[in-house]
Amino acid sequence: MHKACKRFGQNFLVDHRIIDRIIATIAPKRDDNLLEIGPGQGAITLPLLDYVDQLNVIEIDRNLISILESLKHSNLIVHQGDVLKFDLNVVPIPIRVIGNLPYNISSHVLFYLLKNLNKIKDMTFMLQKEVVERIAANNGSKIYGRLSVMMQAFFDVQMIFIVPPESFNPAPRVESAVVHLKPLTQPKTKDIKILEKVVKLAFSQRRKTLKNCLKSILTQKQTNIDLSQRAEMLTIDNFITLTKDYEKQH
Ligand code: SAM
C-alpha cells in the first residue's frame, strides 16, 4: 500500500459506490479520448479501462507510476509528470478530461485547461465542494468571483453530487463534489486573455466599485455598464460587454 503524500494532495478514493457514480457521470464510450489527471493508485482508472479502447493518465508521483504500470492493460498509457506542464498534444482530440484532482492545485489545473479549451470535449472532476460552489456561483453572491466568471463564460457547469470525507483515505478535512463542465456550443467570447485581464482587475479589490478597480483600463464614458457597482453584481454577459468595450478602446 502506498503511503499518501500530502505535498501531492493525495486523498485516495476508497468508496466503490462513489467510483461507480463517477463512471456513470462520465458515461464513457469505447472511442472516447480520455485523459485522467492524477490517477493515483488507479481507483477510477482501473474500472474505466473496461469501457474505453485507450486511456491516457498523467501522474506526478514517481512512486505511483510502477503501481499504475503494473495494472498492465494494453489500453493504458501512463505519463509521468506535472499536469501543469503536460503537452496535451500527445492525447488525440477532442479530449474528455477527468480526475479526482489534487485540491492544492485544482484552480491552476482549471485555468491551464481553459487555455486549451479548443482541444476539450468535456471535463468531469472531483473537487473541494467549496471550489465547485465558487465555480457555479451566481452574481450577487459572496463567493461569486474570478473562478465563477471565467468558468461560466466558457462552460456549462453542473454540480453532480456531493462526496463526504469518509469516501477517501486519508479523509480530507472538507466535503468534496463532482462537477461536470461542458464547453458552451456558442462561446460568449474568443478572447480569453482580455476577459481574464478585465475580470482579474474587477475583482482585485472586492469592496471597491468597478470605477475604481478598472480605472487604468476603462472609464464610465466608454461603457454602458454602471461602474458604480461592485464586480460581484455583474452577470457573465455584463463582463463580456466590458471586455468588448475595452477592446474598442485598444
Ligand atoms: N485518482 C486517485 C483516486 O481517486 O484515488 C488519486 C486522487 S488524489 C486526490 C490526486 C492525485 O493527483 C495523486 O495521485 C497525486 O499524486 C496526483 N498529482 C498531484 N499533483 C499533480 C500534478 N501536478 N500533476 C499530476 N498529478 C498530480
Side-chain angles (χ1 to χ4, degrees):
M1 196 64 172
H2 173 84
K3 189 170 177 303
C5 170
K6 232 182 171 175
R7 180 161 63 100
F8 292 141
Q10 291 178 353
N11 298 97
F12 299 112
L13 262 172
V14 290
D15 184 335
H16 286 276
R17 285 163 307 178
I18 298 293
I19 295 169
D20 288 348
R21 285 181 77 184
I22 293 173
I23 307 257
T25 304
I26 301 167
K29 300 210 178 62
R30 289 231 77 86
D31 57 353
D32 280 345
N33 305 314
L34 282 183
L35 169 65
E36 184 184 1
I37 298 172
Q41 306 177 98
I44 310 172
T45 322
L46 196 56
L48 259 185
L49 284 167
D50 288 339
Y51 292 90
V52 292
D53 291 336
Q54 200 186 79
L55 173 57
N56 280 270
V57 299
I58 167 80
E59 171 58 59
I60 199 166
D61 187 346
R62 286 176 195 279
N63 295 325
L64 290 171
I65 297 294
S66 52
I67 299 181
L68 289 163
E69 281 175 345
S70 72
L71 296 177
K72 273 214 175 17
H73 274 263
S74 54
N75 48 348
L76 176 64
I77 303 171
V78 181
H79 306 270
Q80 192 275 324
D82 181 351
V83 63
L84 299 173
K85 296 185 187 133
F86 183 61
D87 180 5
L88 289 174
N89 290 316
V90 305
V91 183
I93 54 168
I95 309 173
R96 301 194 69 197
V97 192
I98 66 139
N100 170 13
L101 293 189
Y103 293 168
N104 47 350
I105 58 160
S106 58
S107 298
H108 294 286
V109 173
L110 293 173
F111 279 102
Y112 176 70
L113 293 169
L114 178 59
K115 297 207 169 80
N116 289 281
L117 184 64
N118 57 346
K119 299 192 178 73
I120 290 171
K121 187 171 179 191
D122 70 348
M123 318 201 281
T124 307
F125 292 132
M126 171 91 75
L127 301 171
Q128 227 172 295
K129 181 176 147 231
E130 182 233 310
V131 174
V132 174
E133 285 168 347
R134 273 167 46 211
I135 295 173
N138 289 324
N139 63 319
S141 123
K142 270 207 184 105
I143 55 170
Y144 181 73
R146 178 168 164 244
L147 193 60
S148 335
V149 178
M150 293 309 294
M151 289 297 134
Q152 292 175 41
F154 299 98
F155 296 96
D156 178 41
V157 178
Q158 252 191 304
M159 171 162 355
I160 310 289
F161 60 93
I162 293 169
V163 183
E166 313 82 78
S167 301
F168 304 84
N169 184 18
R173 254 177 278 155
V174 290
E175 280 188 307
S176 305
V178 171
V179 65
H180 185 242
L181 301 158
K182 190 169 168 44
L184 297 174
T185 34
Q186 296 282 341
K188 292 175 187 283
T189 173
K190 288 198 181 99
D191 226 326
I192 298 186
K193 275 202 176 133
I194 308 227
L195 178 64
E196 195 167 9
K197 179 176 176 158
V198 172
V199 171
K200 209 171 172 178
L201 267 181
F203 285 104
S204 58
Q205 291 167 289
R206 289 189 73 101
R207 307 186 55 160
K208 296 216 165 141
T209 64
L210 286 163
K211 181 166 173 277
N212 226 300
C213 296
L214 298 179
K215 64 178 178 234
S216 62
I217 61 162
L218 207 68
T219 64
Q220 186 63 79
K221 280 202 189 98
Q222 296 163 340
T223 180
N224 287 330
I225 303 288
D226 176 5
L227 298 185
S228 69
Q229 308 174 77
R230 289 180 188 165
E232 67 192 45
M233 296 316 293
L234 296 199
T235 62
I236 309 295
D237 287 341
N238 290 157
F239 275 108
I240 302 294
T241 306
L242 278 184
T243 305
K244 289 188 179 141
D245 294 337
Y246 168 79
E247 281 174 322
K248 275 187 220 146
Q249 309 299 322
H250 294 82

